[in-house]
Amino acid sequence: MIKLNKINKSFGEELSGVHVLKNLSLDVNTGEFVAIMGKSGCGKTTLLNILGTLENADSGEYFLGDRNMSTLSEKEKCKLRRTKIAIIYQSYNLVEDLNVYDNIVLPFVFDKSKWDEDYLKELIKELDIEKLLYRKAGLLSGGEKQRVAIARALLQRPAVILADEPTGNLDSVNSEIVMDALVKGNKIHNQTIVMVTHDKDMAEKTDRIIYMKDGEIQR
């Protein structure tokens, strides 16, 4: 599903800049749930941004399925993020003036496509947000916002989910709800998930833990 071959990424001037990713190679199989761990600044989020086509590598190859991501136009990458890749941010990225229901279905509204209402009801129950549906997102707690963001991502039934510290700001109860939803999506819908986390307990719920240090994967 995901294949990275000798990915390099630097920020700043060529000689004085920061080499964030160094000849990084990685394979993630279809339906695999992978956790990426490592100290702050080791390149985890940059790696996730490249996987999500939000940033381009300076060199190396990134294949998603049989498609070389470096050959796609920005328009094609944008469409890919709407249809095949869902990104879950630690900052939630909700529209605070919209209610919960409208936030969840927003990607479908943008695409002028129809969502699965039965699956939406299932997600709403699973993530315990029934009572929040018509409350504005700006009035929710952090844990509630993250559960809404998870529902929005899962409703799209993406092939790939990229999660950047999805439980980083949550208490233990909300962390378990979020992780249970991700694990269920992975097992039932065979979704490939790459999750950056500092939480070893959450990482141990995945299929494989990858450790990064100084822009490289530790073998």
Side-chain angles (χ1 to χ4, degrees), residues 94-105:
L94 302 179
V95 180
E96 298 209 336
D97 286 338
L98 292 181
N99 66 34
V100 165
Y101 185 92
D102 289 341
N103 265 286
I104 294 172
V105 302

Side-chain angles (χ1 to χ4, degrees), residues 7-72:
I7 294 291
N8 285 278
K9 181 67 177 179
S10 298
F11 294 101
E13 298 295 329
E14 183 175 349
L15 295 178
S16 61
V18 179
H19 197 174
V20 181
L21 299 179
K22 306 170 185 176
N23 288 318
L24 186 146
S25 295
L26 173 66
D27 291 320
V28 179
N29 297 322
T30 300
E32 190 175 16
F33 193 162
V34 172
I36 299 178
M37 301 191 74
K39 294 181 179 179
S40 296
C42 72
K44 301 187 303 297
T45 296
T46 299
L47 172 59
L48 211 66
N49 286 342
I50 289 174
L51 292 175
T53 72
L54 297 171
E55 294 181 21
N56 297 318
D58 296 332
S59 64
E61 295 178 316
Y62 167 26
F63 285 89
L64 183 60
D66 58 357
R67 302 183 75 183
N68 187 337
M69 295 295 101
S70 65
T71 66
L72 301 186

Side-chain angles (χ1 to χ4, degrees), residues 113-130:
S113 58
K114 184 60 181 172
W115 56 90
D116 184 337
E117 191 68 30
D118 289 336
Y119 184 42
L120 174 55
K121 289 177 181 177
E122 180 184 328
L123 289 172
I124 287 168
K125 183 176 181 181
E126 181 181 339
L127 290 161
D128 193 23
I129 53 177
E130 296 109 315

